[in-house]
Every structure is written in structure tokens, then in C-alpha cells.
Amino acid sequence: MKKGILSLALMMLIAFAGFSCNVKFLVNGQENIDKNAIYKVGEEIKITILVDFIHQPCQIAMDETKLKLDGLEIVKKGEWIKNEGTNGYYLEMVVKIKPDYPKEGKLTLTRTCTNEGGFGMLKFKHN
């Protein structure tokens, strides 16, 4: 019984600890992303990345945020801008689906710091 309670408490602690940055993606201005949408090769997609800090002050600069693209090509990329009224920043970019890429397109964001950092992933199905 004690092991069960301890295991449950540990799982809840891990679940609530999470990352130190909340990462949210908007696709074409929409927060509710249709995960079943299929994009055409070469189609341009506007992405807004929102990063809100949980720990203040954040120890790493926004330009240290790593973006990795698989099957996507950057058409236009802005700079990180302070999001007024929140503890974070946002970045707007336009990507397009690469031709002849056999898998789904993917954008991965990683922030690494001593407070767990932040992570986010966005996937695009294509035909």
C-alpha cells in the first residue's frame, strides 16, 4: 500500500514539474491545430511560436532557442519579440513543405537550461 501511494505521489510530481517554458504553436493564426490536415508540397504555412517563462528571470537568451526543421523549408523568419502582458516572447515564421520528403514535416523547438528548459514539436502531414 505504501509503495502504491509513493509511486502515485512520484508520478504526480513528475507530471507537474514539466518544463520551465511553456511552448505553444499557432498555425495560420489558429490555436486549435487540425492534426489531420494534409498540406500540399510547396504550400506555405504561417507559424507563430509562443514561449512563456515559468521561472523568472530566464537564464538563457531567446536567440539560444534551437529550431530544427525536418521536411520543411523556411521562407521567412522574424525575430523573437517580447510578448507584452506575459512572461515570454513570440516568433513568426513562414515555412513550406519540401518536395520529395517521404515523412511528415516537423518543427522542433528546444530550450536547454538548468531549470528543465522548454520543448515543443509541430508536425505537418503532406501528400
Side-chain angles (χ1 to χ4, degrees), residues 19-119:
F19 292 108
S20 297
C21 299
N22 289 328
V23 178
K24 186 187 305 184
F25 296 101
L26 305 180
V27 176
N28 295 325
Q30 301 296 313
E31 186 173 341
N32 296 326
I33 300 168
D34 181 0
K35 295 181 191 299
N36 295 316
I38 297 178
Y39 296 87
K40 296 177 184 166
V41 171
E43 183 174 353
E44 293 188 358
I45 305 162
K46 180 182 176 187
I47 301 171
T48 304
I49 305 170
L50 302 159
V51 176
D52 286 321
F53 304 134
I54 294 171
H55 296 110
Q56 288 290 338
C58 185
Q59 299 174 351
I60 60 172
M62 287 307 296
D63 61 357
E64 294 181 52
T65 302
K66 294 177 179 65
L67 297 175
K68 180 182 175 197
L69 289 92
D70 293 310
L72 301 171
E73 178 181 326
I74 295 176
V75 175
K76 180 181 175 185
K77 180 180 169 208
E79 299 292 323
W80 287 104
I81 298 171
K82 175 78 173 123
N83 198 355
E84 296 301 321
T86 71
N87 292 325
Y89 288 77
Y90 71 93
L91 173 97
E92 295 181 335
M93 63 191 304
V94 177
V95 300
K96 68 179 179 180
I97 305 291
K98 283 185 176 180
D100 303 324
Y101 192 77
K103 299 179 183 177
E104 59 194 2
K106 184 169 39 174
L107 167 65
T108 306
L109 176 143
T110 308
R111 290 181 51 81
T112 306
C113 72
T114 58
N115 289 326
E116 300 297 324
F119 178 82

